[in-house]
Amino acid sequence: MTPLIEKSQRRPAKHTPAKTTAKKVTPGKKTVRKPISRPSTVSKISSLKIAKPERTHKLNYIFSVGRRKEAVARVRWKANEPVNIIVNGRQFSDYFPTFELQHIVRQPLVLTHNDKLGSVSVKVSGGGINGQAESVRLGIARALVKVDPDLRLVLKRAGFMRRDPRVKERKKYGLKRARRAPQWQKR
């Protein structure tokens, strides 16, 4: 605990003098400095009003984000368009080559019977192919809930509304990987 310091023992506050003009020298008199008067920039900044651009058209899609491990999927759900799933500008069957990954992506649509309605456009980045597929699934599920909040319970029970928190564990010093120790040798 620090002892209390009386006011007389405290250090004096540092004083920075105002900007001054050049010295006026007159014979026989003391030198006088006059402070420079400048308008305050704070008052100018606070008086400025920044106009926000107004949206001229309404968005015709629902946006949501899904994440898994290092993968991030930005999903756009368009309700009034023919059935189509585009991932990074390619058909999802081309982007996710295996049937298992395609099934993961379509799970929320099939479960809620929305596989015959609307199109999905996805931009996905980071992670591996499996993490990307699961991040797209979460993004689609979140978009469906925005369209129809009654679907939340169905999707939640299936486990599609939960962001899977499991990520790769960091490597520790003295070990080969996160937990793999160097091989022990007796002799």
Side-chain angles (χ1 to χ4, degrees):
M1 197 163 168
T2 59
L4 296 174
I5 301 172
E6 293 182 21
K7 286 187 178 181
S8 62
Q9 293 176 343
R10 291 184 189 160
R11 291 182 192 164
K14 291 185 179 180
H15 183 269
T16 53
K19 294 215 176 214
T20 57
T21 58
K23 295 179 187 177
K24 287 189 174 184
V25 181
T26 52
K29 290 189 177 181
K30 292 182 180 179
T31 58
V32 180
R33 294 183 179 209
K34 292 185 179 178
I36 299 171
S37 61
R38 292 186 180 151
S40 175
T41 56
V42 175
S43 63
K44 286 181 181 179
I45 293 171
S46 62
S47 65
L48 292 175
K49 301 232 177 177
I50 299 170
K52 293 182 180 177
E54 293 193 19
R55 228 180 238 168
T56 55
H57 64 283
K58 189 177 177 182
L59 299 175
N60 60 348
Y61 59 84
I62 297 196
F63 179 79
S64 65
V65 176
R67 292 184 181 89
R68 171 73 171 102
K69 294 185 180 179
E70 292 292 315
V72 179
R74 295 172 291 171
V75 177
R76 289 182 177 184
W77 166 266
K78 298 176 186 173
N80 299 326
E81 290 191 8
V83 179
N84 201 4
I85 300 176
I86 305 286
V87 180
N88 289 354
R90 295 160 49 188
Q91 286 293 325
F92 91 107
S93 57
D94 295 336
Y95 194 83
F96 298 112
T98 64
F99 176 76
E100 183 182 346
L101 295 174
Q102 294 171 17
H103 178 68
I104 288 171
V105 169
R106 296 194 64 200
Q107 278 178 329
L109 296 170
V110 172
L111 183 69
T112 58
H113 306 293
N114 285 322
D115 53 340
K116 306 287 187 248
L117 308 168
S119 76
V120 179
S121 173
V122 183
K123 286 188 179 177
V124 66
S125 62
I129 194 107
N130 195 63
Q132 287 185 351
E134 291 183 15
S135 67
V136 170
R137 177 177 69 187
L138 178 60
I140 290 173
R142 286 178 173 174
L144 289 172
V145 168
K146 285 182 182 178
V147 172
D148 186 7
D150 296 335
L151 298 176
R152 182 174 178 80
L153 186 62
V154 176
L155 292 167
K156 194 169 183 176
R157 283 187 180 154
F160 302 150
M161 292 303 295
R162 184 172 184 270
R163 192 254 191 244
D164 195 342
R166 296 175 296 171
V167 293
K168 187 173 181 177
E169 192 175 338
R170 69 170 286 259
K171 180 194 176 299
K172 278 52 161 216
Y173 54 86
L175 301 180
K176 298 287 187 181
R177 297 194 298 264
R179 299 185 185 192
R180 168 78 168 96
Q183 187 170 353
W184 180 77
Q185 191 172 6
K186 189 172 183 179
R187 287 182 187 86

